Amino acid sequence: MGLLEQFSHWNFYLLGTYPKGEIGGLALNIILAALALSLSFIFGVMLGYSRLSCRMYIKYPCVAYIEIIRATPLILLIFWFYFFLPYLVGGNISIFWSAVISLCVYAAAYQAEIVRAGILAIPRGQLEAALSTGMSRLQAMKSVILPQAFKIMIPSFMSFFVSLFKDTSVTYIIGVIELTQTGIIISQRQPDKMLSAYLSMAIGYFVICYTLSHVARRLEKKIGIYDLESYRPDACRDEYMLLPTHKTGDEEEHPSRICSPKPEFRKDL
Amino acid sequence: MMITGVKITLVLLVTTTISSLLLGNVIAIMRVSRTRFLRVLGNLYVEIFRNIPGLFWVLFFYFVFPELLPSGLSEKLNSYLYYPVIAGILGLTVDNASYVSDILRSGRLAIPHGQREVAISTGLNRVQQWIYVLLPQIYRVTLPPLGTRMVHNFKNTSLCMAITAPELTWATQQIESLTFRGIEATTIATLFYICLAAIMVSIIILLEKYLKIDISSITHSRA
C-alpha cells in the first residue's frame, strides 16, 4: 500500500530533517503556532483592553489596527512581512522569523477580540464593586476583572489556537518547510504516490486539530460559561452580540450567544 | 492583470458563497435528521473538513482529485485553462460548507420545538416545514456568525494563488516578479480586500436591521 510506504517517511512529516538539518514538518507547524500565540498574547491583551478605553485617541487606533488586520487575508500579511521586513530591518531576515512575525501581527488582532469579549462578559457590577473599594481602574482590571475574564477566555483561546495552527499551513507559500510543504515536496518527488502523500499530510493535521478542539470543548463544558452568561446585564449583551466571531471549535456556543435568554422549552406539551 | 485578478476573486467569492451555503444547508439538515446514518455521515463530514486546513483542500482538488478520476477525464481537466479556478471553488466550498453547516445546525437547535409542532399542526409536510417555517428563522438567527464566516471565506479566496488561479493575490505576485513593483501592487490588493470586506460587513449589518424580529417573541411564545 502506498500509504504504508509513506509511513517510512514519517520522520520527514513529523520533524523534517531535524537531527541532521533544520526542524520542519508537523513540529514546525506547532512551533510556529505556539510562538505566534505566546508572543502576540501581551499585545492582544493590550489591544483588547485599549479598545474598550473611553479615550478616543487610544480607542480608534486600536480599532483601526484590529479591523484592518482582520480584513486582510493572511497570505497578503505574510507577503508584506516577507518582502518589506528586510527593508525595515535593513538586513536579511530568515523566512522562519518573517513567518512568525506576520503570524504574530495576525494573531494579536484576533486575540484582542477574544480579550474584549471576555472583559465585556464580566458583569458591570464587578467593576463598580472594585472601584468602590477604592481601587484604581488599572488595579480593578488587574486583580478583579482580568482574572475572571481569562477564565472565560480559555476555551476561545484554545479554539483560536486550533485555527492558528491550521493557518500556519499558509506559510508554505514563502518556503517554510512545514507539513504542507513537506507533503508537496514528497509528492513531487514521487508523482505516482501523490494520493498517499496528501493523505499523510491530512492525517497529521487532523490528529492535532481534532484532539485540540475536543480538549477545548471539554474545557468549555467544565468552565461553564453559560452560567455566567445568564446574569450578564443586557447593555453588555448588546455589544457582545455585535461582535464578529472567530470561532472554530465551539459549535454549542452560537445559540446561547444569539438568543437573549436561553430558549425555554415547554416540557408539558 | 489586476483587473482580471479582481474579476476572478469576485467570481470565486460569489460562487463559493452560494455553493457553500447550499452544501452547508444539506449537511446541517443531515446532522439534525432522525436517521442515525445521515447524522453520523454529516458529523463525519464536519469533523474531517473542519480539522484540516482550507489550503490543503484547495491543493487536494488541484493536484490529487484529477488523479482519482479516469485518465481521459483527468487529462481533459488538466489541460482546461480554468481548472485552477474550478479546483479553488471546489476546495473552498467543501471547507466553508463545514463551518456553515455548524452555524446553521446551532441555529436550528436555538429554535424551540413549538415552531415545528405548529408547522405540523397546520398540515405542512416535512419539506414545507423546513422551507416555510424553520429555514427562514434559522437564517435570521444565524445571520451574524454566517456573515463573519462569509467574510472569512472571502479572505480565503486568496489561498487559490497557491494553485495558480489568476486571482488578485496571484496577480500581485506576478507583478512583483515581472516588474518589481510589488509594493504598489500589494498595497492596492490589500486596500481592495479591506474595502470589499467592509462592504460585506455593512451589507450584513443592513440585512440584520432589515430582517430584525423580536427573537424573544419566538422563544417565549406559548405555541
Side-chain angles (χ1 to χ4, degrees):
Chain A
M1 269 296 286
L3 189 60
L4 282 178
E5 269 172 48
Q6 284 296 322
F7 283 133
S8 60
H9 298 309
W10 65 270
N11 51 335
F12 288 117
Y13 285 111
L14 291 184
L15 292 172
T17 53
Y18 172 55
K20 293 166 203 147
E22 281 185 9
I23 199 162
L26 192 59
L28 191 59
N29 280 75
I30 298 173
I31 292 173
L32 274 175
L35 262 183
L37 193 82
S38 45
L39 290 183
S40 63
F41 179 73
I42 189 78
F43 293 110
V45 173
M46 272 157 57
L47 275 171
Y49 181 47
S50 338
R51 199 183 167 165
L52 294 168
S53 166
C54 315
R55 298 194 180 84
M56 293 304 153
Y57 57 87
I58 296 179
K59 186 180 174 186
Y60 283 110
C62 292
V63 173
Y65 174 83
I66 292 171
E67 295 303 329
I68 286 174
I69 297 295
R70 276 161 49 96
T72 317
L74 180 58
I75 281 196
L76 273 181
L77 273 183
I78 287 174
F79 278 136
W80 271 112
F81 283 96
Y82 179 60
F83 287 123
F84 310 124
L85 212 57
Y87 290 118
L88 286 178
V89 183
N92 269 334
I93 189 163
S94 72
I95 45 172
F96 173 75
W97 285 106
S98 85
V100 168
I101 291 171
S102 45
L103 282 170
C104 274
V105 169
Y106 173 79
Y110 284 92
Q111 293 198 44
E113 287 296 287
I114 297 175
V115 171
R116 184 170 83 114
I119 293 175
L120 283 179
I122 303 299
R124 210 180 153 69
Q126 295 282 329
L127 182 66
E128 282 160 7
L131 290 179
S132 68
T133 57
M135 288 177 171
S136 71
R137 274 188 89 87
L138 212 59
Q139 277 175 327
M141 209 30 94
K142 199 183 81 190
S143 43
V144 177
I145 305 292
L146 281 183
Q148 297 182 60
F150 277 131
K151 191 182 157 200
I152 305 174
M153 285 181 238
I154 289 170
S156 312
F157 272 122
M158 286 289 289
S159 52
F160 176 66
F161 181 74
V162 176
S163 86
L164 193 65
F165 175 75
K166 286 191 287 177
D167 285 336
T168 55
S169 64
V170 177
T171 57
Y172 107 94
I173 222 111
I174 55 168
V176 179
I177 318 256
E178 40 72 75
L179 188 56
T180 310
Q181 184 76 296
T182 313
I184 289 172
I185 291 172
I186 288 177
S187 72
Q188 275 166 355
R189 289 198 187 153
Q190 309 165 309
D192 49 324
K193 300 195 184 82
M194 202 181 253
L195 179 64
S196 48
Y198 273 78
L199 268 181
S200 357
M201 222 155 100
I203 290 171
Y205 281 115
F206 184 81
V207 169
I208 300 280
C209 291
Y210 186 79
T211 335
L212 281 177
S213 57
H214 267 252
V215 171
R217 223 170 288 175
R218 188 67 69 76
L219 266 178
E220 209 166 289
K221 279 200 187 113
K222 202 173 171 189
I223 291 175
I225 304 167
Y226 305 116
D227 305 335
L228 232 157
E229 270 195 349
S230 58
Y231 64 80
R232 186 159 10 95
D234 279 330
C236 286
R237 184 184 300 282
D238 279 342
E239 178 140 28
Y240 190 60
M241 263 173 64
L242 291 176
L243 268 186
T245 53
H246 177 79
K247 290 280 153 19
T248 44
D250 43 2
E251 57 206 274
E252 286 88 358
E253 193 166 333
H254 293 306
S256 61
R257 174 176 286 196
I258 293 153
C259 314
S260 352
K262 279 191 109 178
E264 289 168 12
F265 299 124
R266 281 188 66 185
K267 294 196 180 71
D268 53 350
L269 266 168
Chain B
M1 204 179 256
M2 289 293 258
I3 304 285
T4 355
V6 170
K7 272 184 200 158
I8 298 283
T9 299
L10 287 178
V11 166
L12 280 169
L13 169 66
V14 173
T15 45
T16 52
T17 302
I18 294 169
S19 57
S20 63
L21 260 184
L22 290 176
L23 187 60
N25 237 320
V26 172
I27 307 248
I29 293 176
M30 270 165 73
R31 289 180 73 195
V32 293
S33 93
R34 263 187 236 160
T35 326
R36 194 184 152 77
F37 175 68
L38 287 180
R39 269 203 319 258
V40 170
L41 208 65
N43 285 331
L44 202 67
Y45 176 93
V46 170
E47 286 296 347
I48 287 177
F49 283 85
R50 241 180 43 166
N51 285 322
I52 296 173
L55 179 66
F56 173 84
W57 291 114
V58 172
L59 291 171
F60 177 85
F61 276 101
Y62 184 59
F63 289 113
V64 185
F65 186 60
E67 306 279 314
L68 303 178
L69 298 173
S71 59
L73 199 61
S74 70
E75 269 168 32
K76 217 178 250 174
L77 274 185
N78 278 332
S79 57
Y80 183 47
L81 183 61
Y82 283 108
Y83 184 62
V85 178
I86 293 173
I89 290 173
L90 285 174
L92 290 176
T93 302
V94 294
D95 181 50
N96 200 32
S98 61
Y99 293 94
V100 169
S101 84
D102 227 26
I103 294 168
L104 291 180
R105 191 189 79 116
S106 57
R108 168 70 187 87
L109 298 182
I111 290 173
H113 289 306
Q115 292 291 323
R116 173 154 235 165
E117 281 152 12
V118 171
I120 293 171
S121 67
T122 51
L124 300 177
N125 67 28
R126 290 179 71 83
V127 179
Q128 286 169 330
Q129 282 167 29
W130 275 101
I131 294 174
Y132 295 117
V133 180
L134 295 175
L135 280 181
Q137 293 186 38
I138 290 174
Y139 278 114
R140 275 205 183 108
V141 167
T142 58
L143 194 62
L146 212 55
T148 322
R149 191 61 229 166
M150 290 310 167
V151 175
H152 216 82
N153 181 41
F154 163 58
K155 293 193 294 169
N156 278 349
T157 56
S158 64
L159 295 181
C160 292
M161 76 154 291
I163 53 168
T164 67
E167 49 82 53
L168 189 56
T169 317
W170 184 82
T172 63
Q173 292 317 303
Q174 280 311 95
I175 290 170
E176 158 77 27
S177 58
L178 292 178
T179 62
F180 298 106
R181 295 251 169 160
I183 297 185
E184 290 90 332
T186 317
T187 313
I188 292 172
T190 313
L191 284 179
F192 172 79
Y193 278 108
I194 291 172
C195 290
L196 204 60
I199 292 172
M200 282 178 77
V201 169
S202 46
I203 288 175
I204 290 156
I205 290 174
L206 277 182
L207 259 180
E208 225 170 294
K209 273 186 192 152
Y210 178 68
L211 293 175
K212 196 167 187 182
I213 44 167
D214 191 6
I215 293 171
S216 60
S217 73
I218 303 176
T219 48
H220 293 302
S221 62
R222 299 272 170 223

